[in-house]
Amino acid sequence: MEAVLASNPKSDVKEELVLLLSKIRYAVGDYQGALDRLAQVPLDKVSLTDASCRKMKIIGEAFAIQGLCLEKLPPHASRYKQAEREELIIRSFERSGDISLLQLQDRQDRGAKATTAIAVQTGGVWNIMDSDTVGVGPIVETAIQRSPILYIRNGELSKGIGRFRELLRAVESRSIQGLRQTLARQLAEVLLRGVCESTYEPINLADNQMDLTENPFPKPRKYKGDDLFVPKDESEETLLLLLISESIATRDTVLNRSSELTEARLHTFHKTAAVYDLLTIVLVRRSQFSMLSETFERAMKFSFDEFHIWYQLALSLICSEKYTRAYLVLKECMKLNPNDPVVYLLAAKLCYEYLNSVNDGIKYSRAIIDMPKSHPFLARGYLFLGIGYSLRSDEVRLQTERQSNQRKAVEALTRAVSLDTNDYLAYFHMALQMALLRQIPEALSYVRKALHLRRDHFPSVHLLILLLSAQKQYEEALQLAEASLVEHPDSFSLLIIKCRLQSEVQAVEAALQTCRQMLQLWKNLYEAAVDSEERGTGLLERITTDHRSLLQLQLYEVSDRDSGSIRAESIAASRLEQTLSEVASSIGSSTQPKPGPQQSWMLQTQIWLLLAELYLKIELFDSAYACIQEAGNVCPMSHIVSYMRGRYFEAKGDLKEAKKLYENAIAINPAHVKSLHHLGVVLYTMGNFHLAEKVLRDAVNYDPTSSQSWFSFGKVLQSLGDFQIAAECLTTALELESKNPILPFSVVGKTFY
């Protein structure tokens, strides 16, 4: 080429020879030599009018080489000269990109007649490809990507984003879709990291990218029209860019798993995985977990044995509340990475909290402990193991099995506390286990340590209030509940405890007022989601709007007005209750489901039944019946509603009806200890001592910490002449009564946060 150039050829040939020689100089690392060659051709004055695609490609590469060589030179001593050089670099990159994109558009417009076959090496294998699918080349592609990045590096963020947008708005050709995917991902990263709602500049389709100098070269054609979608904010634009990038990346991913294509397959996979990671950030910020899980499901076709994608899919399914599928995906993650303790922790948590599979949760917790390599989650493994044994102790019926599981739970939790003395959660669960075993002083010590480590841990505060009430320090417990309500004014659990404590410490009217407060809070939080025709008998509206004391209101007058209209949804915890409601609905019963979230209806039912219990305590039977009727309108198939109806008839002296209702409650939930206890009391009152003994024996077997059940059981045994065992039962009742909280400790729940 040097010899040909020395022979003084025609001007067009000489120009191309100089440009090709500069490319060779750049390839061998002679950057100054390449610039010297380029100086022989005034690139800014080259005419592209009626130029061939070949010439446009060479000119585009020449501008790219000029910019890349200038970048490789050492910095100029003069700041002014250095600024001029950086400006020239950006201008060279921009012109390289514009000319190269334009020549690709022209080549595609000319159709199949200009198509040629080209050999291209991919992953070590030579393939014959259509010339229309060959891109701009690595030199020009680097120049195109560098121009917006240089703007951003120089602090001109808006110009960098504008350049990205200008490149992406260019009419695409088949050969630059890989480049388009990279640009879309890079712009999405810039928007995520450097742009917020206040600094975002919307896209202006009429606004052309401004150049600091006159640009004699034509620009590539852009998409035009009235129906173009224009994002309104940075979130929409980021999501659109990532969806475009994902669409291109998944289409170009190499699925062939042959060894020859391993390098190409891994390269395309990592590019696609980067897009999915960015999509995760964007969608999680907007809580679009279902869309995220669907996105990762599409990635499964090229994610064989790729732990990262499987793990992200599992997390997205958990956030989408698709727990069964998430559990199955986590099991696959265990196969891919069997030594990752976090995967086992997540699986155990799902088993305990949502899948009711305690034995599997214990198995995964044990697997964390038995891992060969040391890891920082050993203490958390023992914690989850202790939670599992504690949950299993609640399920078993035999006393020996229950005590064995309780002992194992204490051992595991003790080990968790010793391994990590700064884990508030371990201290909390240790305190809860001690409370369930009625070791109140030890429980108080542990829960105070938990609160010392994390003062805002709500379950620990909840447990501390119950522990104070177990020590009969009702005043202190009430003060703590009121102080906690200042920070958690919408906590129904705290309000229920406060109501119970007020009924013990203060007048019943104060507890009734707290119930009114709870009903008002429920109305404010949930009434907007309830259809006006589904709001019951109007008792809720009457209580929350009438400012008179609840002792003065005649609630039964309101309740009887529409008592024939019964619509309800089974929102009780028991699956049998849900089945009963579905069966009742399927056979045309009047108990049609209520719309809205089940938790809100269950909450309202709980408040009505608490209010009814207070009225029964002060013998306002009509008002108590009105509250029970309102709860029945919400949830007629609930065993708790049936139990409270039995309480009402028992208080009125109708023992036969009370017995029938208690039996109905037990039929729905055989483990409901309060129904068993009151049924035993009713049978005892009716003189059926032997059946009462059997029922109360079941009650104390289900809940050995129920002092009332032990007391009634002792009285029945006394009536049957078994005085020694009766004395032991009464002694147990006295011991438990001195440690009984205002509400069962089980209401706190075994939290994982």
Side-chain angles (χ1 to χ4, degrees):
M1 292 180 69
E2 293 282 1
V4 174
L5 184 61
S7 64
N8 196 17
K10 295 180 181 180
S11 59
D12 291 343
V13 177
K14 180 179 179 180
E15 184 178 275
E16 290 188 10
L17 283 173
V18 171
L19 296 179
L20 291 174
L21 281 171
S22 67
K23 185 176 181 180
I24 294 174
R25 294 286 185 182
Y26 170 76
V28 299
D30 185 5
Y31 305 121
Q32 186 60 55
L35 289 173
D36 293 339
R37 283 296 183 184
L38 289 173
Q40 298 176 15
V41 178
L43 291 177
D44 293 339
K45 297 180 181 180
V46 173
S47 175
L48 296 179
T49 306
D50 298 328
S52 64
C53 289
R54 180 176 180 278
K55 181 176 180 180
M56 292 176 66
K57 182 178 178 65
I58 293 174
I59 296 298
E61 287 185 344
F63 274 112
I65 291 170
Q66 178 177 276
L68 292 171
C69 288
L70 288 171
E71 275 196 312
K72 296 293 185 180
L73 296 180
H76 205 284
S78 171
R79 294 179 60 184
Y80 177 74
K81 293 291 185 180
Q82 182 63 25
E84 281 187 343
R85 180 190 291 179
E86 292 178 355
E87 182 181 324
L88 178 59
I89 292 171
I90 294 175
R91 185 165 64 247
S92 299
F93 287 158
E94 288 187 346
R95 291 180 179 177
S96 172
D98 292 341
I99 295 171
S100 299
L101 292 177
L102 181 61
Q103 69 93 8
L104 288 174
Q105 293 172 353
D106 289 345
R107 188 171 65 186
Q108 183 164 296
D109 291 343
R110 294 178 184 180
K113 63 182 182 180
T115 300
T116 57
I118 299 176
V120 178
Q121 189 179 25
T122 303
V125 179
W126 287 94
N127 299 310
I128 304 301
M129 302 178 63
D130 191 333
S131 63
D132 285 350
T133 62
V134 178
V136 294
I139 295 177
V140 176
E141 186 170 333
T142 302
I144 291 175
Q145 295 179 35
R146 289 288 295 165
S147 58
I149 294 175
L150 289 176
Y151 274 128
I152 296 172
R153 192 179 69 179
N154 294 337
E156 298 176 300
L157 181 62
S158 60
K159 288 186 178 180
I161 294 175
R163 180 59 183 169
F164 271 123
R165 289 171 174 171
E166 186 178 15
L167 292 168
L168 289 168
R169 284 177 55 197
V171 177
E172 66 178 300
S173 60
R174 289 184 297 168
S175 56
I176 62 167
Q177 290 190 353
L179 174 62
R180 190 178 184 84
Q181 186 260 340
T182 302
L183 292 173
R185 176 177 56 80
Q186 288 178 343
L187 178 53
E189 287 187 48
V190 172
L191 293 174
L192 279 173
R193 296 180 181 182
V195 177
C196 62
E197 184 178 355
S198 59
T199 59
Y200 175 75
E201 296 181 5
I203 300 174
N204 186 358
L205 296 181
D207 182 27
N208 294 323
Q209 176 73 7
M210 298 182 62
D211 200 345
L212 297 177
T213 61
E214 295 183 2
N215 189 354
F217 300 102
K219 291 276 189 177
R221 295 185 300 277
K222 300 177 183 178
Y223 288 108
K224 296 180 181 179
D226 298 330
D227 298 330
L228 296 179
F229 172 75
V230 181
K232 298 178 182 179
D233 52 37
E234 79 282 1
S235 299
E236 281 191 6
E237 184 173 357
T238 304
L239 183 58
L240 175 63
L241 290 166
L242 291 174
L243 290 176
I244 292 172
S245 184
E246 183 224 359
S247 175
I248 299 173
T250 53
R251 183 179 57 201
D252 295 340
T253 302
V254 178
L255 301 179
N256 193 328
R257 300 191 64 82
S258 61
S259 58
E260 296 84 358
L261 297 176
T262 300
E263 184 179 349
R265 178 170 47 81
L266 291 177
H267 176 70
T268 56
F269 170 76
H270 290 312
K271 286 177 62 177
T272 309
V275 176
Y276 282 113
D277 290 341
L278 293 173
L279 265 173
T280 302
I281 296 173
V282 174
L283 295 176
V284 167
R285 286 181 177 179
R286 299 294 179 269
S287 299
Q288 298 295 321
F289 301 114
S290 295
M291 183 178 179
L292 181 62
S293 62
E294 293 171 2
T295 302
F296 278 113
E297 285 175 1
R298 293 196 297 269
M300 288 295 102
K301 66 179 182 180
F302 54 82
S303 301
F304 178 74
D305 282 351
E306 295 293 345
F307 172 79
H308 178 69
I309 300 296
W310 282 90
Y311 185 54
Q312 294 281 36
L313 173 60
L315 295 178
S316 63
L317 289 171
I318 292 173
C319 295
S320 303
E321 300 181 358
K322 301 174 183 178
Y323 302 116
T324 303
R325 292 186 61 198
Y327 174 63
L328 296 175
V329 175
L330 285 174
K331 290 176 71 174
E332 187 67 24
C333 292
M334 294 176 194
K335 297 177 183 177
L336 298 176
N337 193 357
N339 294 321
D340 188 347
V342 178
V343 177
Y344 289 88
L345 286 173
L346 288 173
K349 180 178 179 295
L350 289 180
C351 292
Y352 292 151
E353 200 167 7
Y354 302 109
L355 304 180
N356 194 28
S357 182
V358 177
N359 290 332
D360 286 340
I362 292 175
K363 179 181 70 175
Y364 295 131
S365 302
R366 175 62 64 183
I368 299 170
I369 299 170
D370 295 338
M371 284 184 179
K373 295 182 180 179
S374 60
H375 54 81
F377 295 97
L378 183 60
R380 192 50 61 99
Y382 276 105
L383 172 61
F384 275 49
L385 183 63
I387 294 173
Y389 283 130
S390 180
L391 288 171
R392 194 160 70 179
S393 69
D394 297 336
E395 295 180 352
V396 297
R397 290 286 305 275
L398 294 178
Q399 185 69 11
T400 54
E401 292 185 15
R402 182 184 293 118
Q403 291 176 351
S404 174
N405 282 286
Q406 288 174 345
R407 184 181 66 256
K408 291 178 180 179
V410 171
E411 292 174 355
L413 292 172
T414 303
R415 180 67 172 151
V417 169
S418 64
L419 287 172
D420 189 355
T421 56
N422 294 316
D423 186 3
Y424 70 92
L425 204 56
Y427 284 107
F428 163 74
H429 281 285
M430 191 67 182
L432 181 58
Q433 189 62 31
M434 292 291 104
L436 293 172
L437 296 175
R438 292 303 188 271
Q439 299 180 22
I440 306 301
E442 292 84 353
L444 277 169
S445 174
Y446 282 114
V447 78
R448 286 184 172 125
K449 290 178 181 177
L451 287 171
H452 176 73
L453 293 170
R454 183 181 171 186
R455 296 183 180 277
D456 62 341
H457 189 228
F458 178 75
S460 294
V461 176
H462 196 175
L463 179 58
L464 179 57
I465 296 172
L466 293 180
L467 288 171
L468 290 174
S469 69
Q471 290 189 326
K472 311 309 175 189
Q473 300 177 20
Y474 295 127
E475 290 283 356
E476 293 82 353
L478 181 58
Q479 291 175 7
L480 181 56
E482 291 175 343
S484 300
L485 280 168
V486 175
E487 297 183 6
H488 307 279
D490 297 341
S491 172
F492 285 96
S493 58
L494 280 179
L495 287 169
I496 290 173
I497 291 180
K498 177 184 175 182
C499 181
R500 295 281 189 181
L501 291 170
Q502 285 175 325
S503 66
E504 294 290 335
V505 176
Q506 303 172 355
V508 176
E509 186 172 357
L512 293 173
Q513 186 61 31
T514 302
C515 285
R516 169 182 277 172
Q517 181 183 350
M518 283 191 283
L519 289 172
Q520 182 66 53
L521 179 61
W522 187 94
K523 182 179 177 182
N524 296 338
L525 293 177
Y526 301 111
E527 191 180 36
V530 179
D531 191 287
S532 59
E533 297 181 357
E534 304 291 341
R535 293 180 184 175
T537 63
L539 186 59
L540 174 63
E541 192 71 24
R542 173 75 181 275
I543 289 179
T544 55
T545 55
D546 198 319
H547 297 292
R548 288 180 293 170
S549 169
L550 291 183
L551 292 174
Q552 300 172 355
L553 286 177
Q554 301 297 321
L555 301 184
Y556 63 91
E557 295 177 359
V558 182
S559 178
D560 290 342
R561 192 164 45 196
D562 292 309
S563 60
S565 175
I566 303 177
R567 293 184 178 90
E569 179 181 16
S570 178
I571 52 177
S574 172
R575 291 185 179 181
L576 180 58
E577 295 176 24
Q578 177 72 23
T579 305
L580 289 173
S581 285
E582 291 173 356
V583 171
S585 177
S586 65
I587 63 177
S589 171
S590 60
T591 57
Q592 298 299 321
K594 275 183 176 290
Q598 294 185 3
Q599 185 180 6
S600 63
W601 290 119
M602 192 59 183
L603 207 51
Q604 189 188 120
T605 303
Q606 191 175 0
I607 298 170
W608 285 122
L609 295 179
L610 176 58
L611 189 57
E613 195 170 347
L614 292 174
Y615 279 127
L616 287 176
K617 186 175 182 179
I618 56 178
E619 298 184 353
L620 290 179
F621 299 120
D622 292 335
S623 295
Y625 181 78
C627 295
I628 297 171
Q629 184 81 351
E630 193 72 17
N633 290 343
V634 176
C635 189
M637 298 298 177
S638 171
H639 65 280
I640 305 177
V641 174
S642 183
Y643 159 73
M644 283 304 300
R645 285 198 177 107
R647 288 280 306 277
Y648 167 77
F649 283 104
E650 182 183 358
K652 295 277 286 186
D654 191 346
L655 298 183
K656 289 185 178 180
E657 186 65 23
K659 173 178 174 291
K660 176 182 175 182
L661 290 166
Y662 289 141
E663 288 173 345
N664 290 343
I666 295 168
I668 298 173
N669 185 1
H672 190 234
V673 176
K674 290 184 178 180
S675 296
L676 289 168
H677 168 246
H678 281 274
L679 177 60
V681 171
V682 168
L683 291 171
Y684 171 75
T685 306
M686 295 173 68
N688 195 343
F689 300 143
H690 291 284
L691 187 55
E693 179 196 3
K694 179 184 180 302
V695 172
L696 289 169
R697 191 182 295 275
D698 288 340
V700 298
N701 191 31
Y702 276 116
D703 184 8
T705 62
S706 174
S707 60
Q708 294 178 337
S709 298
W710 281 107
F711 178 74
S712 300
F713 189 36
K715 288 178 63 178
V716 171
L717 291 175
Q718 183 180 359
S719 300
L720 291 173
D722 197 345
F723 300 111
Q724 182 177 357
I725 299 179
E728 294 176 359
C729 291
L730 294 174
T731 302
T732 302
L734 287 174
E735 293 177 355
L736 291 173
E737 178 61 29
S738 63
K739 302 176 182 179
N740 268 356
I742 198 72
L743 285 174
F745 289 116
S746 57
V747 301
V748 177
K750 294 176 173 62
T751 181
F752 295 88
Y753 304 102

